[in-house]
Amino acid sequence: MSVEATIVPAGVVDAGEILTVQRAAYLSEAQHYSDPFLPPLTETLDEVAAVLAGPSVVLVARVGHRLVGSVRARLDGDTAHVGRLAVAPDHQGRGVGARLLTAIEHACADRAARFTLFTGADSAGNLRLYQRHGYRIVAHRPDPNGISLAVLEKPAVSPVRSDA
């Protein structure tokens, strides 16, 4: 029997678990690109804690007491920059990433006109996930280590407002 993940806002106390899941999740990307210095792998505990203490929106997925995924968004004007979507390897392929992506969009919907994110240009599974959720590739750019990134965007769906 599989237990559904619960998605909740993250707190500073979650920093260590978020970092652990993030490093485990991004290891396959590092292997794919032969780059052990991807930013999600070199981010420190203090840096994660600072994000959690700051203005970013950070959500986590839990199965029981175990943190199995996380995602964050930083608002800049009317744009929500989504990043660090990570799911523990043993929970990948179960819809946790899709649920986290939908949840972060809902959490920012009242403040964002569009969402943007990036992933490795050769990360077919990631690109499929984002495209299924309405994201479209708008540009390619290299990361600081020269890896080609696909930049994706999608407009926010405006909530229906009643003038009554």
Side-chain angles (χ1 to χ4, degrees):
M1 175 172 114
S2 131
V3 176
E4 179 103 356
T6 303
I7 298 176
V8 297
V12 175
V13 298
D14 296 317
E17 286 181 285
I18 288 171
L19 186 60
T20 299
V21 167
Q22 183 175 293
R23 286 182 174 168
Y26 278 87
L27 192 57
S28 61
E29 287 289 289
Q31 291 169 332
H32 178 80
Y33 291 101
S34 299
D35 184 355
F37 301 107
L38 297 178
L41 296 175
T42 60
E43 191 171 37
T44 67
L45 182 60
D46 287 343
E47 288 168 334
V48 173
V51 168
L52 289 164
S56 293
V57 178
V58 184
L59 302 176
V60 295
R62 290 191 175 279
V63 173
H65 293 290
R66 181 178 171 213
L67 193 148
V68 298
S70 66
V71 66
R72 59 180 84 160
R74 179 183 48 81
L75 289 151
D76 181 14
D78 67 354
T79 301
H81 298 273
V82 178
R84 300 290 200 270
L85 177 60
V87 177
D90 63 323
H91 282 269
Q92 291 175 4
R94 299 181 185 186
V96 176
R99 291 188 55 229
L100 280 164
L101 186 58
T102 298
I104 199 77
E105 291 171 359
H106 285 292
C108 297
D110 61 339
R111 296 173 284 169
R114 71 184 178 124
F115 295 93
T116 185
L117 55 80
F118 61 85
T119 191
D122 295 329
S123 298
N126 294 349
L127 289 168
R128 276 193 306 275
L129 169 69
Y130 299 135
Q131 289 172 332
R132 273 196 318 267
H133 284 264
Y135 288 82
R136 297 291 166 250
I137 297 172
V138 296
H140 285 89
R141 66 175 171 82
D143 80 351
N145 300 331
I147 293 171
S148 179
L149 300 174
V151 179
L152 297 93
E153 288 184 0
K154 97 179 231 186
V157 177
S158 298
V160 176
R161 293 198 173 116
S162 170
D163 293 330

